[in-house]
Amino acid sequence: MQNYHSEELDNLIRVITAIQTEEDCLAFLEDLCTIKELQDMAQRFETAILLDAGKNYQEIASSVGISTATISRVSRCLNYGSGGYRTAISCFKKAENKQ
């Protein structure tokens, strides 16, 4: 992967990790991203969750409404990426168990 780290990215990461409520996070993301960007990110994360649960590409494409090419990209990142999806899924599962 190319080096895209910058002070601006560091600042963005810092503020995202500092936001403490879901409502504040949503408000920030709504201001930061377009609706399409938010929908795309949500679909990719849902795809990662379903892949982690053992669902196949056709099941995911039907339920999430995402292309198999994007599913393949998410799968590559899930299995060979930086570990971000795995960390996020773990955090998500912990949060779900608390509810």
Side-chain angles (χ1 to χ4, degrees), residues 29-99:
L29 290 174
E30 285 176 336
D31 287 347
L32 182 66
C33 303
T34 66
I35 293 170
K36 179 72 172 126
E37 289 168 337
L38 288 173
Q39 290 170 334
D40 289 348
M41 288 187 287
Q43 282 183 319
R44 288 185 199 125
F45 184 60
E46 183 65 18
T47 296
I49 291 169
L50 294 172
L51 285 167
D52 184 64
K55 301 293 182 186
N56 68 46
Y57 281 32
Q58 292 308 320
E59 291 173 306
I60 295 169
S62 294
S63 67
V64 178
I66 198 167
S67 73
T68 56
T70 302
I71 297 168
S72 177
R73 182 185 184 286
V74 171
S75 179
R76 275 193 314 276
C77 291
L78 186 64
N79 293 308
Y80 308 108
S82 302
Y85 276 127
R86 294 274 179 215
T87 300
I89 291 169
S90 177
C91 291
F92 177 72
K93 287 178 180 179
K94 286 178 188 172
E96 286 291 294
N97 288 336
K98 287 183 181 179
Q99 292 182 353

